[in-house]
């Protein structure tokens, strides 16, 4: 991966699922407020058509954030049937554009997308967020060797036609704040990438404890950014940076190129 900046890079993606009822809009607004209070950008993954009223109500509060399509179970599945996937993607992209948005990122709730890349490019998608996790050589591997393994495996993967796949470094609320803090610090120290996926409904279901965990992660990122160790970006801004630097000489790149 070409070097985007001399410091580390963090991406926060927040899944806002409609299956949990009308409260999803309220939860999303709460998360957005906490992000904006710390001036942190995030990629919000949701059904852009179904949540059009919430998007209109938030207005300027969404400035600086990326709006991405969260694939639904009715048209996306691990089996990736082409016809079903094509119809679902086309419908959601068209509805999003009619609402005034041009999404360039697709977030998958499970599995990965080894096929149908041409359909993504056709609809202007340039990034796919999957739940692929980096492999660790051993649960007993600690320290720098472990961090280097994670850094290598979790770089954005270059697919075809300018499409990039982003795996998952950490997941909230599953991960503890100590591990999150360690990985954020490692990304800053080694100019690496950390991608944090947040299941908003699950996090909020834990009540005050879940929101406290969310706040602690945001505070850690804000602190690292203030120290110029971490730059917070969206998937769209990372891809834009990759596009600008892809043909530049990688001789002095700190981050390793994707396999």
């Amino acid at each position: 991966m070409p070097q985007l900046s001399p410091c580390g890079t963090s991406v926060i993606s927040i899944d806002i699922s409609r299956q949990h009822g009308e409260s999803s809009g309220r939860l999303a607004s709460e998360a957005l407020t906490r992000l904006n209070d710390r001036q942190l950008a995030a990629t919000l993954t949701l059904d852009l058509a179904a949540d059009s009223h919430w998007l209109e109500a938030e207005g300027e509060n969404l400035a600086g954030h990326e709006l991405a399509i969260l694939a639904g179970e009715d048209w996306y599945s691990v089996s990736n049937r082409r016809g079903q996937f094509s119809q679902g993607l086309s419908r959601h992209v068209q509805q999003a554009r009619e609402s005034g948005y041009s999404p360039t990122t697709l977030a998958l709730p499970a599995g990965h997308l080894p096929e149908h890349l041409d359909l993504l490019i056709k609809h202007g998608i340039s990034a796919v967020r999957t739940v692929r996790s980096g492999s660790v050589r051993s649960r007993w591997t600690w320290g720098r060797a472990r961090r280097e393994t994670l850094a290598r495996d979790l770089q954005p993967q270059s697919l075809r036609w300018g499409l990039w796949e982003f795996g998952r470094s950490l997941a909230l609320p599953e991960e503890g704040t100590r591990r999150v803090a360690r990985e954020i610090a490692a990304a800053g120290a080694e100019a690496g990438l950390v991608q944090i996926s947040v299941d908003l409904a699950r996090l909020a279901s834990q009540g005050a404890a879940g929101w406290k965990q969310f706040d602690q992660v945001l505070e850690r990122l804000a602190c690292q950014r203030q120290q110029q160790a971490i730059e917070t970006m969206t998937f769209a801004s990372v891809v834009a940076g990759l596009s600008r630097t892809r043909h530049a000489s990688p001789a002095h790149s700190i981050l390793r190129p994707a396999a």
Side-chain angles (χ1 to χ4, degrees), residues 3 10-11 18-19 30 38-39 60 67 75 83 88-89 96 98 100 103 106-107 130 138 149 152 182 199 203 254 258:
Q3 184 179 356
S10 66
V11 179
R18 296 292 296 177
Q19 69 182 13
E30 179 67 23
R38 298 169 177 85
Q39 298 182 328
E60 295 181 356
L67 300 177
W75 57 276
L89 179 63
E98 290 176 355
L106 174 69
T130 69
S138 169
T149 302
R152 179 180 66 251
R182 287 197 304 268
D199 185 329
L203 181 137
I254 296 176

Side-chain angles (χ1 to χ4, degrees), residues 13 21 24 26 32 43 45 56 63 74 84 117 121 131 168 173 190 203 205 217 222 238-239 242 244 250 254 256:
S13 61
S24 61
R26 178 182 58 81
L32 192 60
T43 295
T45 72
E56 183 178 353
D74 59 326
Q84 179 186 18
L117 304 184
I121 298 301
V131 294
R168 178 178 65 186
E190 301 172 11
L203 181 137
S205 70
V217 171
V238 171
V239 169
L242 291 170
R244 287 193 301 268
I254 296 176
R256 297 173 178 81

Side-chain angles (χ1 to χ4, degrees), residues 36-51:
N36 289 343
D37 285 346
R38 298 169 177 85
Q39 298 182 328
L40 295 174
T43 295
L44 308 177
T45 72
L46 66 164
D47 185 326
L48 294 176
D51 290 297

Side-chain angles (χ1 to χ4, degrees), residues 131-194:
V131 294
R132 173 183 57 84
S133 297
S135 61
V136 179
R137 281 171 285 184
S138 169
R139 63 176 297 181
W140 303 112
T141 303
W142 301 99
R144 183 178 179 84
R146 178 178 181 275
R147 292 198 300 270
E148 289 180 346
T149 302
L150 287 173
R152 179 180 66 251
D153 291 346
L154 292 167
Q155 297 300 314
Q157 302 295 303
S158 177
L159 301 177
R160 284 184 287 175
W161 308 306
L163 184 67
W164 294 86
E165 177 190 0
F166 291 80
R168 178 178 65 186
S169 305
L170 301 163
L172 291 180
E174 292 88 341
E175 308 288 355
T177 54
R178 289 186 179 180
R179 181 187 171 189
V180 173
R182 287 197 304 268
E183 299 300 342
I184 291 173
E190 301 172 11
L193 170 70
V194 58

Side-chain angles (χ1 to χ4, degrees), residues 16 18 20-34 51 54 58 200 204-205 211:
I16 304 168
R18 296 292 296 177
H20 298 283
E22 294 300 322
S23 62
S24 61
R26 178 182 58 81
L27 298 179
S29 295
E30 179 67 23
L32 192 60
T33 296
R34 293 169 189 250
D51 290 297
W54 175 79
E58 287 297 333
L200 189 57
S205 70
W211 287 113

